[in-house]
Amino acid sequence: MSTSSKYADHGLPTPEPESPSLNRPRQPYRFSTLCATVETPDVDHKDQHGSSSVPIYQTATFKGVGGQYDYSRSGNPTRTHLEHHIAKISSAEHAFAVSSGMAALDIITRILKPGCEVIAGDDLYGGTNRLLTYIRTNMGVTVHHVDTTDPPAVLPFLNPGKTAMVLLETPTNPLLKVVDIARISAMVKEKCEDAVIVVDNTMMSPYLQRPLEHGADIVYDSATKYLSGHHDLMAGVITCNRDDLAKQMAFTINSVGNALSPFDSFLLLRGTKTLAIRMDRQQSSAMLVAQFLVRLGFVTHYPGLPSHPGKEVHERIADGYGAVLSFETGDKELSEQIVGATRLWGISVSFGCVNSLISMPCVMSHASIDPATRAARGLPEDLIRLCVGIEDPADLLDDLRHALTSAGAITLAANNFIRIPNQVSKAVEKLTIGPSRRDPARVQENREWFVSAPGKVILFGEHAVVHGVTAIAASIGLRCYGLTSPRHDNVVSLHLADIGDYYSEWNLDDLPWDAVTPVFPGEKHEDTLDQKLMQAIATRVLPPADEMPPKTHGAAQAFLYLYMILTHGDVRPSFNFVARSTLPVGAGLGSSAAYSVCIASALLILHDHIKIPPLPPRSRPAAPGDPGHIHISHQGRRAIPPDIAEEVNRWAFVGEKVLHGNPSGVDNSIVVYGGALAYTRPGFGKPSGMDQIHGFKSLRFLLTDSKVGRDTKRLVAGVAKKRMEEPDLVNHILIAIQAISDEARRALADPEISRESLLSALSALISENHIHLVSLGVSHPTLESIRARTAADPFKLSTKLTGAGGGGCAVTLVPDDFQDSALESLIAALEADKFQPYVTAVGGSGLGILSPYNFEESGDALVNGDAAGQSTIRDQFEKMDVEQLPNWAETRGRWGYV
């Protein structure tokens, strides 16, 4: 890196010593020396008492006529000393100190006149964007936001005679993009010689970057940041070398009266003396933090990293990399957890302080930029900005490490911290999409579509799966049901009958279609959610979450997100969607995954992304009771082909992302495919992904809802913390749970093992797995109470917690020979203890879709009836008692399953 500018002669005489010295030539003072030495601007400002610190002239007026000062708004000796000092360290002829960084930009933009044009970057500080928006809206000034990190991108917007100002910021805030000040300045001057080049230098300060040396006309800093360094004052500074610009800005400052006060001038002058030594410490620590995050696999923005795309340009125009960096987690909620878990890093806007700060720009410093604009400019909602202070770097790293661990973003494995992946495993991520089945001419859909999906249960390996242990999951007989009914009135509605009887409807013309990028049939959804659409739905369609019944905000957002992004062409289906569930919501049994599968399958059908296979062709004339082809009954099994199942699974996973931000992909996969699977999380140096357990034999379980809410993230973070504090103990437990999962997997897949041996083995494995989970600290007194009740005479059944624990559900294996009377007695005892038990089969079918080829009357309702004059099943479905729902649904017609 070139350091010539850092040690250059700044065009000012080296101050003479107060005492005689040897007669030898002097070298120009280095920057840190220039910072620490404050010279007297001229003989008139020399302190009569020889004060070693500039006095505070805390006065509004000055006596006399014709003197240099008369009113502190126009000038003050303390401020004059400060401005002389700022000019010296900035390679400037002129400097001005005003009340804030935004006040400095306001002074600069008053140079503009109606009808002129401004070119500005597309990654700017939120306050800058707000002021430019005001100028554009109220002052008749055109503002072009351009990617200034690509100099040629500026050229099309240069308009001779019109372009009055080019506003640059480098590195940008908060994405740390680098702008080539020298190259853009040369390009602009060549085509628009009257245009003024303005640079916001706050991120670097004069110590690390002096834009006037690279062709800028005006430079401003929020001196609240690095120049002051202590966040005990608000100030802004402006520097320039052109007399005409200096004269204009001096006039404006005097006119509007926003010059810096004498006391704040004194504080700022004091702060600048330690600028160099502070920033040396801050940027060296920032590099350590950036390297730490990169090693963990986070996308990290810092110009000092070898991978930074602007590193070469930055090293050409700057003398250091600064002390601000940012990184992405891939999950906004996870980022919020990380920020909230820090202790040494203070949660605050701004930067440049001796204390380290952490923030989420999109909800703090850049919240004034509307979400759609943030998304268009590529500003991630999950972005975390770190502003490194002068604390010991070991303490900063330790605090950040604890926050990441507490939030469940990283964990300790083999004595190293590793990132817990928030991407779906490759087995799900690379599911292929079948060929488009869209008809050339889409016909208005008049049928009702009835779909269902099972819940899931983690049989073995919960919690341990986060640390690379294989988990065994299976579908359960409790299901979620979804019904679409056509309405054709340009309205779509959502009714969540079992969640506070929530109902809402939306006029299709009022939805934010300007924010959607549709995914056409046969195309893939991106790995990440469309944040522009997410924000548009959250801010323009739905009320705040705290104004909606619990759990309904996410469900409505997922429904609308899938509806809008699957819409293509000029067809926007108008229908009612009703969801019912025999699954307890929020108990850890996959209710959200089942809901996601239901809305995904229904919307894929209505948006013509998938089609149910046609009936087999007739091989002979049809007759009453004879469809005209060979029919073999499979009770609906395997009626839904793999390509449709895969497509539904892909979109159900998108729905899970909307609901949870960072799902593993296990829940939606087991819900779609049914049966059982083994899942190993990637990133632990062994084969990962999901494998179906073939030959899985359906088992009977008693699921008991403790009715105690769970804090999954807290529980996951607690295990990670325990592993960090007691690695030998926890690693031993993880090894034991892996052995349990392996043995269970072999037993469940073994076609030769006897039923009696299988049930005996599973019973022992369930008990042992639960003991290990208790040792990890994730059980709860209610779960232990359920376990004791089921283990007591005369029942003697094996029970364990499932899912995150800390509440939620317990699972009890019920042997084939367990008497119905004993089961009824156990259920009554659990209900008396205020728990909610459910008897269900484990390992059954996955996604179900009611055949569209049934047109037989069932009572007074027509299955999949036409909307025109025919009765529908919606009324019955909405009013049906939840306990009667499974049998009622089964009698609606022929179901096809995965």
Side-chain angles (χ1 to χ4, degrees), residues 169-220:
E169 180 180 338
T170 185
T172 62
N173 177 17
L175 291 177
L176 284 298
K177 298 178 182 178
V178 173
V179 176
D180 193 338
I181 302 171
R183 185 177 175 190
I184 291 181
S185 295
M187 287 168 43
V188 172
K189 293 300 182 184
E190 181 178 351
K191 193 170 182 179
C192 301
E193 60 181 7
D194 294 328
V196 176
I197 310 296
V198 179
V199 177
D200 179 352
N201 197 45
T202 305
M203 294 279 279
M204 289 284 101
S205 85
Y207 178 46
L208 299 181
Q209 185 171 268
R210 290 165 295 282
L212 293 177
E213 297 175 357
H214 301 288
D217 296 303
I218 300 174
V219 178
Y220 72 99

Side-chain angles (χ1 to χ4, degrees), residues 9-33:
D9 185 341
H10 296 277
L12 293 167
T14 299
E16 293 299 324
E18 298 293 330
S19 57
S21 64
L22 296 174
N23 185 18
R24 57 182 175 81
R26 281 184 173 274
Q27 295 295 321
Y29 286 165
R30 272 70 169 176
F31 192 96
S32 57
T33 307

Side-chain angles (χ1 to χ4, degrees), residues 154-346:
V154 177
L155 284 172
F157 298 93
L158 291 174
N159 188 357
K162 286 284 191 179
T163 302
M165 184 177 292
V166 177
L167 178 58
L168 306 175
E169 180 180 338
T170 185
T172 62
N173 177 17
L175 291 177
L176 284 298
K177 298 178 182 178
V178 173
V179 176
D180 193 338
I181 302 171
R183 185 177 175 190
I184 291 181
S185 295
M187 287 168 43
V188 172
K189 293 300 182 184
E190 181 178 351
K191 193 170 182 179
C192 301
E193 60 181 7
D194 294 328
V196 176
I197 310 296
V198 179
V199 177
D200 179 352
N201 197 45
T202 305
M203 294 279 279
M204 289 284 101
S205 85
Y207 178 46
L208 299 181
Q209 185 171 268
R210 290 165 295 282
L212 293 177
E213 297 175 357
H214 301 288
D217 296 303
I218 300 174
V219 178
Y220 72 99
D221 288 60
S222 171
T224 309
K225 316 297 194 295
Y226 290 114
L227 284 167
S228 164
H230 297 79
H231 281 190
D232 53 8
L233 66 93
M234 297 284 291
V237 298
I238 307 170
T239 57
C240 70
N241 286 327
R242 284 175 48 179
D243 294 340
D244 59 328
L245 294 175
K247 185 176 180 179
Q248 284 181 269
M249 292 187 291
F251 175 83
T252 304
I253 293 169
N254 186 42
S255 300
V256 302
N258 64 354
L260 197 62
S261 71
F263 185 69
D264 284 340
S265 295
F266 167 81
L267 288 177
L268 180 54
L269 187 60
R270 184 178 66 173
T272 59
K273 294 178 183 180
T274 60
L275 171 64
I277 194 168
R278 283 187 281 106
M279 289 214 71
D280 280 341
R281 175 60 171 265
Q282 288 171 290
Q283 68 175 341
S284 66
S285 296
M287 179 63 83
L288 294 174
V289 173
Q291 292 169 341
F292 166 76
L293 292 169
V294 168
R295 284 195 300 271
L296 289 170
F298 292 101
V299 176
T300 306
H301 307 279
Y302 185 64
L305 294 171
S307 59
H308 193 285
K311 186 173 189 287
E312 182 181 349
V313 172
H314 184 80
E315 290 179 344
R316 180 158 32 89
I317 62 176
D319 299 321
Y321 304 117
V324 176
L325 63 145
S326 59
F327 70 102
E328 301 171 34
T329 68
D331 180 359
K332 182 179 178 182
E333 185 177 349
L334 177 62
S335 296
E336 292 172 345
Q337 294 286 335
I338 293 168
V339 171
T342 58
R343 295 295 178 266
L344 190 56
W345 298 80

Side-chain angles (χ1 to χ4, degrees), residues 623-671:
D626 180 359
H629 60 80
I630 299 297
H631 173 71
I632 301 174
S633 176
H634 300 273
Q635 286 77 51
R637 296 187 303 275
R638 301 179 183 270
I640 300 175
D643 60 334
I644 291 180
E646 290 171 356
E647 184 78 341
V648 172
N649 193 33
R650 292 176 60 82
W651 285 98
F653 184 59
V654 174
E656 282 283 85
K657 287 183 179 179
V658 177
L659 288 166
H660 300 299
N662 183 29
S664 68
V666 177
D667 288 9
N668 50 275
S669 294
I670 194 65
V671 167

Side-chain angles (χ1 to χ4, degrees), residues 213-527:
E213 297 175 357
H214 301 288
D217 296 303
I218 300 174
V219 178
Y220 72 99
D221 288 60
S222 171
T224 309
K225 316 297 194 295
Y226 290 114
L227 284 167
S228 164
H230 297 79
H231 281 190
D232 53 8
L233 66 93
M234 297 284 291
V237 298
I238 307 170
T239 57
C240 70
N241 286 327
R242 284 175 48 179
D243 294 340
D244 59 328
L245 294 175
K247 185 176 180 179
Q248 284 181 269
M249 292 187 291
F251 175 83
T252 304
I253 293 169
N254 186 42
S255 300
V256 302
N258 64 354
L260 197 62
S261 71
F263 185 69
D264 284 340
S265 295
F266 167 81
L267 288 177
L268 180 54
L269 187 60
R270 184 178 66 173
T272 59
K273 294 178 183 180
T274 60
L275 171 64
I277 194 168
R278 283 187 281 106
M279 289 214 71
D280 280 341
R281 175 60 171 265
Q282 288 171 290
Q283 68 175 341
S284 66
S285 296
M287 179 63 83
L288 294 174
V289 173
Q291 292 169 341
F292 166 76
L293 292 169
V294 168
R295 284 195 300 271
L296 289 170
F298 292 101
V299 176
T300 306
H301 307 279
Y302 185 64
L305 294 171
S307 59
H308 193 285
K311 186 173 189 287
E312 182 181 349
V313 172
H314 184 80
E315 290 179 344
R316 180 158 32 89
I317 62 176
D319 299 321
Y321 304 117
V324 176
L325 63 145
S326 59
F327 70 102
E328 301 171 34
T329 68
D331 180 359
K332 182 179 178 182
E333 185 177 349
L334 177 62
S335 296
E336 292 172 345
Q337 294 286 335
I338 293 168
V339 171
T342 58
R343 295 295 178 266
L344 190 56
W345 298 80
I347 303 174
S348 177
V349 296
S350 196
F351 55 90
C353 182
V354 293
N355 303 111
S356 295
L357 303 175
I358 188 170
S359 66
M360 289 183 66
C362 287
V363 296
M364 298 173 73
S365 59
H366 291 62
S368 61
I369 303 175
D370 84 77
T373 302
R374 291 199 302 263
R377 295 179 185 174
L379 185 57
E381 295 293 314
D382 60 296
L383 190 74
I384 295 176
R385 189 182 71 179
L386 298 175
C387 309
V388 183
I390 65 170
E391 302 94 336
D392 191 295
D395 293 330
L396 292 174
L397 289 170
D398 184 64
D399 188 58
L400 185 57
R401 189 180 295 114
H402 274 85
L404 291 167
T405 303
S406 176
I410 65 173
T411 188
L412 187 65
N415 296 321
N416 285 315
F417 283 92
I418 62 170
R419 184 180 178 187
I420 297 175
N422 60 358
Q423 296 180 352
V424 64
S425 71
K426 298 299 181 185
V428 174
E429 190 175 25
K430 294 187 176 179
L431 288 174
T432 57
I433 299 180
S436 173
R437 297 175 176 268
R438 182 172 51 140
D439 288 336
R442 294 173 63 185
V443 179
Q444 177 174 280
E445 181 59 80
N446 289 317
R447 292 173 294 186
E448 291 183 304
W449 286 95
F450 200 9
V451 298
S452 74
K456 62 83 191 172
V457 63
I458 303 294
L459 297 176
F460 303 99
E462 49 272 272
H463 276 288
V465 68
V466 175
H467 303 277
V469 171
T470 303
I472 307 297
S475 61
I476 60 176
L478 303 176
R479 300 180 77 88
C480 176
Y481 297 86
L483 177 70
T484 70
S485 302
R487 51 188 297 165
H488 306 318
D489 58 356
N490 203 45
V491 170
V492 65
S493 69
L494 175 66
H495 183 193
L496 305 176
D498 301 313
I499 308 181
D501 203 29
Y502 170 81
Y503 177 86
S504 187
E505 60 182 39
W506 303 275
N507 187 295
L508 294 176
D509 292 336
D510 294 338
L511 295 179
W513 297 105
D514 58 303
V516 71
T517 302
V519 177
F520 293 93
E523 293 182 348
K524 292 177 59 176
H525 186 281
E526 296 292 336
D527 290 338

Side-chain angles (χ1 to χ4, degrees), residues 749-819:
D750 185 354
E752 304 298 327
I753 191 172
S754 69
R755 185 74 173 180
E756 183 180 359
S757 296
L758 174 64
L759 292 171
S760 176
L762 292 177
S763 178
L765 292 171
I766 283 172
S767 296
E768 187 174 337
N769 195 168
H770 182 83
I771 291 170
H772 291 310
L773 292 170
V774 171
S775 298
L776 291 177
V778 295
S779 188
H780 188 275
T782 57
L783 297 174
E784 295 306 313
S785 177
I786 293 169
R787 189 165 183 267
R789 172 70 71 181
T790 58
D793 288 334
F795 312 117
K796 297 183 179 179
L797 300 180
S798 295
T799 299
K800 64 180 285 295
L801 66 84
T802 185
C809 274
V811 295
T812 304
L813 179 64
V814 181
D816 296 342
D817 58 358
F818 195 73
Q819 296 296 316

